Amino acid sequence: MRIKPRLIIVCGLPGSGKTTRAKQLEKQLNAVRMCPDEWMDALNINLHEEDTRERIEALQWKLGQDLLRVGLVVIIEWGTWARVERDTLRLGARALGASVELHYLTASPDELFERIQQRGRENPPIEREAVDRWYEFFQVPTAEEMALFDEATVIEKEIKPS
Ligand SMILES: Nc1ncnc2c1ncn2[C@@H]1O[C@H](COP(=O)(O)OP(=O)(O)OP(=O)(O)O)[C@@H](O)[C@H]1O
Ligand SMILES: [Mg+2]
């Protein structure tokens, strides 16, 4: 039996829990997860190098589309702050006959900053004001946008955040 391909977009600001959610879905659905930070770490690239991050995301989208073509479930957890980025992914996946989910995660700026600090992964560390700037910049999915996606998979078992 051929399984129907599915793209899952997990969107949200840093610290919102994208990787945590994406790992849950990866396990639950036997999916392939696309995480730029993991590739950057593996290649010894500083996480602040935005140009390289963009190139890695482009590679991941190319690979992701190949995986959708062969009927797999692909999870993209890049952040996708802009509606236009999410539109491109949604339309690209649908053109391949895939269904598409959007999972939007959020928390207050204080909570995001607290989690990012606790994790202590960036060098130099993220500054508190940066989180407020990101909050302004992020395009929260509207009800109208959410309605363009298929119904989101329900998480069976929450992974306890580390
Ligand atoms: N629902 C939650 N409640 C409390 N803490 C959480 C929750 N989800 C994730 N966390 C914790 O917050 C931190 C950030 O989570 P995670 O790495 O999943 O976020 P992220 O969105 O992938 O961030 P980034 O964009 O920087 O990769 C982790 O330490 C995680 O354990
Ligand atoms: Mg992450």
Side-chain angles (χ1 to χ4, degrees), residues 13-20 37 111 115 119 121-122 161-162:
L13 287 171
S16 60
K18 296 181 298 296
T19 301
T20 307
D37 289 357
E111 171 74 18
R115 291 185 197 169
R119 195 178 53 188
R121 203 185 50 190
E122 286 85 4
S162 53

Side-chain angles (χ1 to χ4, degrees), residues 3-4 6-8 21-32 71-75 101 103 152-156:
I3 304 163
K4 190 170 156 49
R6 175 167 286 247
L7 176 70
I8 303 183
R21 168 69 61 93
K23 284 182 171 172
Q24 290 165 336
L25 291 163
E26 177 184 34
K27 230 173 146 187
Q28 188 172 323
L29 301 172
N30 283 324
V32 181
L72 298 186
V73 181
V74 176
I75 305 171
E101 297 180 19
H103 294 236
T153 301
V154 176
I155 302 296
E156 283 166 4

Side-chain angles (χ1 to χ4, degrees), residues 54-145:
E54 274 181 31
R55 294 211 303 273
I56 287 179
E57 288 180 356
L59 271 180
Q60 292 189 338
W61 180 222
K62 192 170 176 296
L63 175 60
Q65 289 173 95
D66 288 341
L67 298 175
L68 292 174
R69 276 188 203 98
V70 296
L72 298 186
V73 181
V74 176
I75 305 171
I76 282 187
E77 50 146 306
W78 304 341
T80 51
W81 294 19
R83 160 83 189 251
V84 65
E85 287 179 78
R86 302 188 293 263
D87 285 346
T88 301
L89 296 176
R90 177 173 48 79
L91 296 172
R94 286 254 165 80
L96 297 173
S99 47
V100 194
E101 297 180 19
L102 180 62
H103 294 236
Y104 166 59
L105 300 170
T106 188
S108 69
D110 284 339
E111 171 74 18
L112 292 179
F113 183 63
E114 179 62 30
R115 291 185 197 169
I116 292 165
Q117 253 194 337
Q118 285 280 331
R119 195 178 53 188
R121 203 185 50 190
E122 286 85 4
N123 182 23
I126 304 286
E127 290 173 5
R128 177 63 183 79
E129 307 86 77
V131 180
D132 288 331
R133 280 201 306 276
W134 297 341
Y135 231 80
E136 290 289 307
F137 200 71
F138 189 92
Q139 291 180 322
V140 175
T142 59
E144 177 265 328
E145 183 186 355

